[in-house]
Amino acid sequence: MIPKPVIKEVPRNPSKNPIDQLIRALVRLPGVGERTATRLAFFILRSPGELSREIANAILSVREKVHFCERCQNFAEEKLCYLCRNPERDQAVVCVVEEPADLIALEKAGTYRGTYHILHGVIAPLEGVGPEQLKIDSLMKRVKGEAVKELILATNSNMEGEATALYLKDLLKNYPVAITRIASGVPVGGDLEFTDPMTLARALTSRQAYS
């Protein structure tokens, strides 16, 4: 079952005006303020009726048909997602990411040919998110039941991402699987003076021979 996201709380409004109700519904979406919601509402009103029906049907369809891949926890329409079903992917290498958007970003790079595992979050005690809220049990099931040779920890290089990577590294230390961490450093075209200290430290510790 797909976990419920944190929905913005909007003060109750007794108005039964359908336009007001639409605006208030749109405001609950992440990143959408009242001005944006108002523009979207009036755009929908001015658009052909087919667009409204298409949007409504698409929302209903995705809610009914999309679920978690039984293996990697990616979004899928079948038991396994398209990546897990692909025989050309290296099944022995698993890249662990925080969210489906991270998987998409790595796929766009076009160089990785292994599989993935999505945690759907990171360990964040201040927000009440612990390991039990993440898709770690299914990851352990893969490590125990599949011929996994390498786990690439590709969580973000912020405090929560680092804490999650360290937790997984400690959890998996007694298993016969190589644990690697994605390298991070100064971006191409970036200036050192504008690079944050954590990125610079990682760039120095992850340095390679220059040839």
Side-chain angles (χ1 to χ4, degrees):
M1 182 177 180
I2 297 175
K4 294 181 179 179
V6 177
I7 304 297
K8 290 188 290 186
E9 291 292 335
V10 179
R12 293 185 177 182
N13 188 338
S15 173
K16 294 184 179 180
N17 185 312
I19 299 177
D20 290 341
Q21 291 179 348
L22 176 58
I23 292 172
R24 289 175 53 75
L26 292 170
V27 165
R28 302 184 72 186
L29 297 174
V32 177
E34 188 169 350
R35 291 181 64 182
T36 300
T38 301
R39 289 204 311 272
L40 290 172
F42 283 110
F43 174 81
I44 292 172
L45 284 171
R46 296 190 185 102
S47 300
E50 291 78 10
L51 176 62
S52 299
R53 284 188 288 272
E54 184 178 346
I55 293 173
N57 290 335
I59 292 173
L60 291 173
S61 178
V62 77
R63 293 295 300 174
E64 293 172 355
K65 297 179 180 179
V66 176
H67 55 269
F68 283 140
C69 170
E70 292 183 355
R71 187 173 180 230
C72 74
Q73 308 304 313
N74 189 16
F75 291 125
E77 294 183 51
E78 301 180 28
K79 287 186 177 182
L80 297 179
C81 71
Y82 70 101
L83 290 170
C84 286
R85 296 197 310 269
N86 188 344
E88 296 183 359
R89 307 294 294 214
D90 187 349
Q91 306 297 322
V93 181
V94 179
C95 182
V96 182
V97 296
E98 297 179 14
E99 301 289 352
D102 301 323
L103 181 156
I104 294 172
L106 289 170
E107 282 298 290
K108 285 182 178 179
T111 58
Y112 179 67
R113 299 305 301 166
T115 60
Y116 294 89
H117 192 88
I118 303 175
L119 298 174
H120 290 277
V122 286
I123 297 173
L126 294 179
E127 298 178 13
V129 180
E132 60 278 359
Q133 274 82 50
L134 307 181
K135 299 297 182 180
I136 294 178
D137 287 345
S138 53
L139 174 61
M140 296 302 297
K141 183 179 178 181
R142 292 181 68 179
V143 172
K144 295 175 183 178
E146 299 180 20
V148 178
K149 295 181 180 179
E150 180 185 2
L151 278 179
I152 305 171
L153 302 181
T155 53
N156 292 325
S157 57
N158 52 26
M159 186 178 298
E160 292 81 6
E162 292 290 348
T164 304
L166 287 172
Y167 176 85
L168 292 174
K169 179 182 177 182
D170 185 64
L171 188 66
L172 295 159
K173 63 183 179 182
N174 294 324
Y175 291 88
V177 56
I179 307 296
T180 58
R181 183 83 166 102
I182 56 168
S184 61
V186 181
V188 176
D191 295 327
L192 291 182
E193 63 177 308
F194 301 120
T195 304
D196 64 275
M198 181 179 290
T199 299
L200 287 175
R202 179 63 67 83
L204 286 170
T205 57
S206 301
R207 64 188 184 278
Q208 301 176 354
Y210 187 52
S211 58

